């Protein structure tokens, strides 16, 4: 379908034109790029190994040698924060992405077929959304056990219901459009109609909403690690580092300050980008 | 209206039942046997089997599920802790008010600070003060609550010695956790109030109100704000619901023995009755908050109120779905 493809490109190009002129978006994007860069090039950016225990150098404050100081085991906090970024950022992003995959399955089937299938799936979503997201993730994380992949699944489940509802509503509004009728008339299979005609035309609102969830998802991941689920020691994660710092709050507050600043930077940058994207997609605000 | 509330309450029953079944099933399939945890690491297989039998863990899934549902919903008996053998219901009765004070207090502060701040920013749109408010609100939604809580402890308890760092001996102990918990809500409400106000502030009815010679205060709070309230209420409802979940974490920071501490300890100990009871109780509260949000919609918007009372059921249902999504 070359035609839909072209119109999609122009839409993306339009949005990018608007975003490019938005200083708030560019600031957010710049912070985000720096953080991602730090996470990717963590080994090159710090001369210390993030796992290397050095009890003689334990609990030092920030210095020229150790920029952010060292933790209770003498590990370099700067190095740990860089590596932790890998976990925290990828947890936040993958949890939303996986939630989106589930939501597409549920939303597409419910929205396209309607009837009892829709009813059943939506009641299931009612049940999922009757449990606060964090609580649901805690329980699922406890059930699945700790680990990176399992934590992503636990967090993704908290995103499904809201995203699936958005997609379903959008699908219902495009389901009766002429091009879908045309596809049905030309004997396309349901799967093909959903995948190549309906989803491309209905997915944008869900993607915008999902983008705005990534920041929250990073906060979420850090909360899970903070209470001892999620990423496990000795691997670093920003929330887990804060949990570890808690024991030394009286004596070595520097351990507490830096990981929190990085969480805040990541979430602020994503919030700024998410806001700008939402505004750029909103025809009401377009000039 | 009364009929509508009743209908919604009745509709909550199957959802909560399903939540209970879901949670029970998740806990049932959790790897890790509580009996062997309690019996200790050097227990023999026989000792573990005896403990399993004591706790009723050796019975089939369906039997245990039905018994769990019957006890919970017909006798309001949440069972006993595997570890301490204390009644979970009694613990809940003691702990629930503490969590409620935390979540409720945070919301009250969020409303009292967040909405006026958002209105203020909207009225002064484009000024330096507006920009500073917007920036602070973005930072406010981005800080992890538990980190903020620890920073507050560092400053007010450890450096200045003004407020207790943990526990709940005096009412003062609740100040820091409530403040930490409220920041996210304040920021969200500021953001939403500002943007909703900006949408109505140039509407004709606001100009009319000004032209009538009303004071600026009456124009903003009497005419503009009520018309900007709908999205603010939906953020507020979502926020209260989230603070129920968020207080789980903040209770850890301040060592407040509420439902959150109780549940997270139980998760680590595989103390299923406690986890199940906590999830079901929090979900009931959560659903009630969503219902209250929908009712608040009706209170501010005469259009929706008319739908609540009238026969236009279909429209109203979509409206309430839209709210619960928010």
């Amino acid at each position: 379908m070359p035609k839909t493809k072209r119109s999609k490109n122009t839409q993306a190009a339009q949005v990018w034109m608007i975003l490019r002129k938005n200083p708030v978006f560019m600031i957010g994007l710049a912070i985000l790029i720096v953080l991602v860069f730090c996470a990717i090039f963590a080994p090159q950016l710090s001369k210390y190994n993030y796992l290397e225990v050095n009890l003689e150098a334990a609990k030092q404050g920030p210095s020229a040698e150790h920029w952010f100081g060292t933790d209770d085991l003498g590990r370099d906090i700067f190095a740990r924060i860089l590596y932790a970024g890998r976990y925290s950022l990828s947890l936040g992003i993958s949890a939303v992405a996986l939630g989106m995959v589930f939501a597409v399955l549920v939303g597409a089937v419910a929205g396209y077929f309607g009837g009892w299938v829709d009813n059943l799936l939506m009641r299931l979503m009612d049940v999922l959304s009757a449990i606060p997201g964090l609580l649901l993730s805690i329980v699922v994380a406890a059930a699945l056990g700790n680990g990176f992949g399992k934590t992503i699944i636990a967090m993704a489940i908290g995103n499904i219901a809201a995203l699936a509802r958005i997609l379903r509503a959008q699908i219902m509004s495009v389901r009766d459009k002429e091009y879908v009728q045309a596809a049905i008339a030309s004997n396309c299979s349901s799967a093909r109609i959903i995948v190549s005609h309906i989803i491309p035309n209905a997915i944008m609102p869900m993607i915008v909403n999902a983008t705005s969830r990534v920041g929250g998802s990073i906060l979420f991941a850090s909360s899970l690690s903070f209470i001892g689920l999620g990423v496990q020691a000795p691997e670093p994660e920003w929330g887990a580092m804060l949990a570890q710092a808690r024991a030394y709050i009286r004596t070595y507050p520097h351990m507490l300050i830096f990981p929190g600043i990085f969480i805040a930077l990541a979430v602020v940058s994503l919030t700024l980008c998410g806001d700008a994207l939402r505004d750029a997609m909103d025809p009401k605000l377009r000039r | 209206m009364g009929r509508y509330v009743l209908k919604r309450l009745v509709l909550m029953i199957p959802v909560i039942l399903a939540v209970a079944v879901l949670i029970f099933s998740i806990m049932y399939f959790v790897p890790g046997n509580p009996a062997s945890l309690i019996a200790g690491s050097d227990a023999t297989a026989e000792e573990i089997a005896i403990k399993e039998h004591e706790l009723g863990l050796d019975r089939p899934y369906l039997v245990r599920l039905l018994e769990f549902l019957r006890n919970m919903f017909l006798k309001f008996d949440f069972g006993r802790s595997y570890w301490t053998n204390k009644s979970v219901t009694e613990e809940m009765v003691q702990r629930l008010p503490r969590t409620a004070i935390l979540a409720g207090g945070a919301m009250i502060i969020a409303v009292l600070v967040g909405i006026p701040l958002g209105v203020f920013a909207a009225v002064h749109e484009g000024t330096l003060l507006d920009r500073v408010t917007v920036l602070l609100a973005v930072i406010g939604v981005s800080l992890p609550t538990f980190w903020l809580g620890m920073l507050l402890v560092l400053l007010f308890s450890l450096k200045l010695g003004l407020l207790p760092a943990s526990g709940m001996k005096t009412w003062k102990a609740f100040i820091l956790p409530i403040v930490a918990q409220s920041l996210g809500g304040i920021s969200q409400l500021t953001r939403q109030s500002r943007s909703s106000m900006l949408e109505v502030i140039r509407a004709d009815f606001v100009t009319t109100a000004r032209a009538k010679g009303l004071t600026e205060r009456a124009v903003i709070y009497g005419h503009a704000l009520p018309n900007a309230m709908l999205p603010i209420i939906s953020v507020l409802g979502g926020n209260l619901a989230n603070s129920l979940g968020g207080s789980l974490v903040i209770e850890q920071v301040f060592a407040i023995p509420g439902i959150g501490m109780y549940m997270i300890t139980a998760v680590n100990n595989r103390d299923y009755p406690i986890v199940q009871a906590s999830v079901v109780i929090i979900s009931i509260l959560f659903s009630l908050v969503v219902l209250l949000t929908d009712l608040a919609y009706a209170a501010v918007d005469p259009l929706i109120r008319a739908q609540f009372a009238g026969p236009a059921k279909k429209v109203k249902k979509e409206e309430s779905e839209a709210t619960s999504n928010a």
Side-chain angles (χ1 to χ4, degrees):
Chain A
M1 286 256 107
K3 189 139 189 235
T4 42
K5 188 142 198 190
R6 204 176 69 209
S7 72
K8 216 170 78 188
N9 278 345
T10 47
Q11 193 194 11
Q14 264 179 8
V15 169
W16 172 241
M17 285 288 282
I18 299 171
L19 288 178
R20 220 176 46 179
K21 290 184 198 131
N22 185 344
V24 172
F25 177 79
M26 291 319 263
I27 293 172
L29 190 66
I31 302 175
L32 193 61
I33 289 174
V34 171
L35 288 173
V36 171
F37 180 87
C38 285
I40 293 174
F41 296 102
Q44 284 77 31
L45 287 170
S46 170
K47 57 180 174 176
Y48 292 99
N49 181 329
Y50 71 105
L51 290 174
E52 193 181 280
V53 174
N54 179 2
L55 291 175
E56 279 173 17
K59 300 170 189 164
Q60 290 176 0
S63 64
E65 197 57 22
H66 296 281
W67 292 353
F68 292 171
T70 57
D71 69 3
D72 51 326
L73 298 174
R75 296 174 295 197
D76 184 66
I77 292 182
F78 180 66
R80 284 183 73 72
I81 283 181
L82 296 183
Y83 277 93
R86 293 183 168 186
Y87 284 107
S88 302
L89 294 172
S90 52
L91 270 179
I93 295 166
S94 345
V96 173
L98 185 65
M100 222 156 59
V101 172
F102 287 136
V104 166
L105 291 176
V106 174
V109 171
Y112 182 72
F113 291 107
W116 68 268
V117 181
D118 179 36
N119 225 325
L120 180 76
L121 286 171
M122 284 304 117
R123 294 299 77 77
L124 197 66
M125 294 300 111
D126 285 350
V127 175
L128 280 186
S129 50
I131 309 174
L134 186 61
L135 191 61
L136 186 60
S137 299
I138 290 175
V139 174
V140 176
L144 292 175
N146 294 314
F148 186 69
K150 290 169 181 169
T151 308
I152 292 176
I153 296 175
M155 286 168 55
I157 290 176
N159 283 317
I160 299 173
L163 291 175
R165 282 208 181 103
I166 296 171
L167 183 66
R168 168 183 172 267
Q170 201 65 25
I171 284 178
M172 293 181 111
S173 76
V174 301
R175 191 176 56 182
D176 300 323
K177 291 264 161 73
E178 287 88 350
Y179 56 81
V180 179
Q181 300 297 331
I184 295 173
S186 57
N187 205 18
C188 281
S189 67
S190 292
R192 167 118 196 246
I193 296 173
I194 292 177
V195 171
S196 55
H197 297 274
I198 291 187
I199 288 182
N201 289 294
I203 205 164
M204 264 334 266
M206 187 187 83
I207 291 181
V208 172
N209 184 282
T211 326
S212 66
R213 283 169 179 270
V214 177
S217 182
I218 289 178
L219 281 180
F220 220 87
S222 65
S223 302
L224 277 185
S225 309
F226 181 73
I227 56 179
L229 300 162
V231 179
Q232 295 296 300
E235 292 302 314
E237 197 274 348
W238 292 331
M241 292 178 74
L242 289 177
Q244 181 200 353
R246 207 184 140 203
Y248 301 97
I249 181 170
R250 278 166 205 280
T251 38
Y252 305 104
H254 71 271
M255 284 173 64
L256 180 69
I257 306 292
F258 296 108
I261 291 178
F262 274 77
I263 299 178
L265 277 176
V267 183
V268 165
S269 68
L270 284 160
T271 309
L272 294 177
C273 292
D275 283 2
L277 180 65
R278 192 195 54 211
D279 291 352
M281 296 292 297
D282 188 348
K284 262 194 295 183
L285 298 174
R286 259 188 220 171
R287 297 202 178 105
Chain B
M1 193 74 173
R3 269 191 64 198
Y4 171 75
V5 175
L6 195 69
K7 193 179 138 206
R8 285 287 301 269
L9 287 173
V10 171
L11 282 177
M12 257 174 67
I13 296 172
V15 173
I16 296 299
L17 267 175
V19 166
V21 172
L22 178 73
I23 283 310
F24 181 86
S25 310
I26 292 177
M27 296 319 282
Y28 180 83
F29 293 108
V30 165
N33 182 352
S36 67
L37 268 178
I38 295 166
S41 54
D42 49 357
T44 62
E46 201 181 346
E47 282 169 339
I48 294 174
I50 292 170
K51 195 78 207 171
E52 251 181 10
H53 185 72
E54 248 173 55
L55 298 174
L57 293 170
D58 52 348
R59 290 171 304 157
Y61 169 74
L62 266 182
V63 175
R64 281 172 57 193
L65 175 65
L66 288 176
E67 192 196 55
F68 162 70
L69 292 177
R70 201 182 60 218
N71 285 342
M72 178 166 277
F73 293 105
L74 296 180
K75 300 186 193 158
F76 302 105
D77 174 11
F78 297 127
R80 289 178 174 278
S81 158
Y82 287 168
W83 288 75
T84 60
N85 203 28
K86 277 191 195 155
S87 156
V88 175
T89 317
E90 278 170 26
E91 284 274 339
M92 284 289 172
V93 171
Q94 275 182 14
R95 285 165 183 265
L96 193 59
R98 297 167 192 154
T99 305
I101 289 176
L102 209 58
M107 191 196 79
I108 291 170
I109 294 186
V111 170
L112 292 181
V113 180
I115 295 180
L117 211 57
V119 171
F120 172 85
V123 172
H124 298 86
E125 192 199 359
T127 63
L128 182 68
L129 276 172
D130 172 39
R131 279 163 209 267
V132 172
T133 312
V134 169
L135 180 70
L136 286 179
V138 168
I139 296 174
V141 291
S142 308
L143 295 185
T145 323
F146 56 90
W147 185 54
L148 183 73
M150 290 193 287
L151 292 181
L152 290 174
V153 167
L154 192 60
L155 180 64
F156 289 99
S157 312
L158 303 179
K159 296 266 186 261
L160 301 177
L162 291 175
L163 292 164
S166 65
M168 33 165 284
K169 285 212 181 70
T170 64
W171 60 272
K172 281 183 181 167
F174 277 100
I175 295 179
L176 289 183
I178 288 179
V179 168
Q181 177 73 37
S182 67
L183 184 80
I186 293 177
S187 312
Q188 275 176 351
L189 280 178
T190 304
R191 279 155 60 89
Q192 188 59 57
S193 312
R194 179 179 177 275
S195 66
S196 314
M197 279 299 279
L198 286 178
E199 277 183 21
V200 299
I201 214 163
R202 283 183 200 86
D204 290 342
F205 64 85
V206 175
T207 315
T208 310
R210 277 212 184 89
K212 282 197 303 188
L214 292 180
T215 60
E216 189 60 22
R217 207 184 154 72
V219 172
I220 296 297
Y221 284 95
H223 290 253
L225 185 59
N227 287 286
M229 249 353 241
L230 278 189
I232 299 178
I233 288 175
S234 92
V235 166
L236 185 63
N239 184 258
L240 180 58
N242 283 337
S243 22
L244 278 170
S247 53
L248 302 185
V249 180
I250 209 77
E251 281 175 20
Q252 296 284 312
V253 175
F254 290 94
I256 293 175
I259 292 192
M261 279 261 275
Y262 194 40
M263 193 193 111
I264 286 165
T265 319
V267 163
N268 292 329
N269 287 340
R270 307 256 174 265
D271 207 339
Y272 302 159
I274 296 177
V275 179
Q276 288 155 355
S278 312
V279 173
V280 170
I281 286 177
I282 293 180
S283 298
I284 292 174
L285 291 175
F286 194 75
S287 304
L288 286 174
V289 170
V290 172
L291 175 59
L292 279 178
T293 313
D294 289 356
L295 294 179
Y297 261 62
V300 288
D301 191 335
L303 259 179
I304 297 178
R305 192 158 58 230
Q307 285 162 4
F308 272 104
K313 287 240 161 66
K314 187 97 186 161
V315 188
K316 183 217 70 209
K317 186 156 178 277
E318 274 161 21
E319 204 75 65
S320 65
E321 271 181 13
T323 333
S324 49
N325 289 351

